[in-house]
Amino acid sequence: MIRRIHHIQITIPPEMEDEARAFYCTILGLQEIEKPPLLKPRGGFWLEIADQQIHVGVEEESDRTRTKAHVAYEVENLAHWKDQLELLGVPIGDSVPILGWNRFEFRDPFGNRVELI
């Protein structure tokens, strides 16, 4: 039986770890957690929200802008997040309406699709 999602993984280009930390930790406010020592040589870093993890891995030659794969973060004050991202110059994309949910999507600076709901 599957009990829950333990973690998800997104990828970034190997040379962009500092920029990814700035975006995910500073702009989005996610908490970085210690990556196991044996995995550190692979690059990337790990983040945590409550008891779930986002693993930011490094990957060469991936066109992240062409995929529908994404992470959806449930947030408080959706309008605030939209305003903040627009102030930072992050293009906001159109989302197909879902009855009962307000949401929008964008691409992170590395091409990963992100939904805030």
Side-chain angles (χ1 to χ4, degrees), residues 62-104:
S62 177
D63 188 354
R64 295 162 194 86
T65 65
R66 299 182 52 104
T67 181
K68 291 180 183 179
H70 67 284
V71 177
Y73 298 102
E74 185 175 334
V75 300
E76 293 180 11
N77 197 344
L78 187 65
H80 166 80
W81 281 101
K82 188 173 186 181
D83 291 345
Q84 288 300 111
L85 291 166
E86 286 176 331
L87 281 173
L88 293 168
V90 176
I92 304 300
D94 293 326
S95 293
V96 175
I98 297 176
L99 186 62
W101 294 100
N102 292 321
R103 66 195 188 112
F104 68 87

Side-chain angles (χ1 to χ4, degrees), residues 46-65:
W46 290 6
L47 304 164
E48 187 171 59
I49 301 172
D51 67 341
Q52 297 180 328
Q53 297 177 6
I54 297 102
H55 295 181
V56 180
V58 295
E59 184 175 52
E60 302 252 9
E61 300 179 29
S62 177
D63 188 354
R64 295 162 194 86
T65 65

Side-chain angles (χ1 to χ4, degrees), residues 19-38:
E19 293 89 342
R21 273 190 180 88
F23 183 79
Y24 280 96
C25 298
T26 303
I27 293 173
L28 294 187
L30 300 179
Q31 179 67 43
E32 184 172 357
I33 60 172
E34 189 70 22
K35 189 172 178 177
L38 291 175

